[in-house]
Amino acid sequence: MVELNEDERKLDASSTSSSKHVLRVQLKSRRSSMMVQERKQASEQACTHAERWLRQLRQNTNRPLRVFAYMPFGQELDIVPLLMKLTQEGNEVYVPVAHQANRDMSWYVWHPDVKMQTGTYGIQEPEQTVPALSTERFVDVDVVLVPGLGFDLAGGRIGMGAGYYDRFLAKLKQERAKLPFIAALIYEWQQVESVPMETHDVPVHLIICPDGVQWTYAGIACGKER
């Protein structure tokens, strides 16, 4: 493999950043044009596929699941019904509170009765009335549902640009011998041909669309689809 010198690495990183910016602008524009009924239908279909996959995963593990998720924002697919179903079936669901000062996230238990408040970037977050899940317990997480603007079949993901999930997934990778399942519920148009990736990016393992579940090359390579 050809090694890049420092100047070449900087140029490569700059090119990747520029490509991500262009793709991000395009995907934001597409998402902002979503109609209410289109979002509703796509959300219901994707959640149905996700529910089926998660139920099978629970059967395979023979215990309740611990799932890291998120509160949908704007025109993102509405995954709240899926989260409600998970809690009703006895699984544990956690959603993040973002800390803008250090671009980090703490994870708090969520269920339909948890009081929510508008947090960073206008996203709904749990009121911090109980302690956050300790990082030592991250090893017990089975699934991480990640938001994003675009994804590809290699497992590439492009988010809004703040890097919260990039940092979180990188830290999770350092702290665990084996990553949990990393999955994304998306509109079909969010699956793009190629997402510019950097060496520190952690790929997603499966993409769940209104049409069904699609394992990425990264998920297949590490045996997640078995």
Side-chain angles (χ1 to χ4, degrees):
M1 187 175 77
V2 177
E3 293 289 338
L4 299 179
N5 62 38
E6 185 175 354
D7 289 338
E8 289 171 328
R9 282 195 295 269
K10 288 180 179 178
L11 182 59
D12 183 62
S14 175
S15 176
T16 300
S17 178
S18 177
S19 299
K20 280 188 173 182
H21 174 73
V22 172
L23 182 57
R24 191 174 282 121
V25 169
Q26 293 171 342
L27 292 170
K28 282 183 178 179
S29 176
R30 176 67 178 87
R31 193 170 71 179
S32 67
S33 69
M34 296 296 299
M35 303 297 288
V36 172
Q37 186 57 34
E38 186 181 4
R39 177 183 185 243
K40 182 176 184 294
Q41 181 177 348
S43 298
E44 290 173 352
Q45 292 171 339
C47 284
T48 296
H49 294 301
E51 183 182 328
R52 187 178 299 122
W53 171 70
L54 287 163
R55 188 173 290 123
Q56 183 62 55
L57 180 61
R58 175 166 175 168
Q59 291 177 0
N60 293 344
T61 58
N62 198 31
R63 58 171 174 75
L65 300 176
R66 176 170 288 169
V67 179
F68 277 15
Y70 59 92
M71 287 290 106
F73 177 73
Q75 297 300 96
E76 289 178 336
L77 288 182
D78 182 8
I79 67 168
V80 173
L82 172 65
L83 305 187
M84 293 177 66
K85 190 73 172 179
L86 284 169
T87 60
Q88 290 167 2
E89 294 179 351
N91 303 289
E92 295 181 20
V93 173
Y94 294 81
V95 297
V97 169
H99 306 293
Q100 198 166 9
N102 60 1
R103 302 292 178 92
D104 198 6
M105 295 188 294
S106 300
W107 294 84
Y108 289 81
V109 68
W110 180 91
H111 52 75
D113 296 326
V114 168
K115 291 183 178 181
M116 306 293 284
Q117 62 185 0
T118 302
T120 307
Y121 308 111
I123 299 171
Q124 289 295 295
E125 298 178 343
E127 292 185 1
Q128 300 168 47
T129 56
V130 297
L133 186 71
S134 66
T135 55
E136 289 78 12
R137 297 184 67 189
F138 285 7
V139 296
D140 300 323
V141 176
D142 299 293
V143 178
V144 180
L145 301 179
V146 295
L149 287 168
F151 300 80
D152 65 22
L153 282 180
R157 168 190 168 273
I158 182 169
M160 295 294 286
Y164 284 92
Y165 278 86
D166 293 329
R167 277 183 287 276
F168 167 70
L169 292 174
K171 182 167 66 174
L172 196 62
K173 185 177 182 180
Q174 290 178 344
E175 294 175 351
R176 291 181 50 140
K178 185 178 181 181
L179 281 168
F181 289 92
I182 302 173
L185 277 76
I186 67 172
Y187 297 101
E188 289 163 8
W189 54 262
Q190 287 183 274
Q191 183 175 320
V192 299
E193 184 175 350
S194 179
V195 172
M197 294 283 283
E198 299 178 59
T199 54
H200 62 270
D201 290 337
V202 177
V204 300
H205 298 130
L206 69 160
I207 296 168
I208 305 173
C209 298
D211 273 355
V213 175
Q214 174 71 62
W215 288 94
T216 67
Y217 302 145
I220 295 170
C222 64
K224 287 290 189 182
E225 90 288 4
R226 296 172 189 167

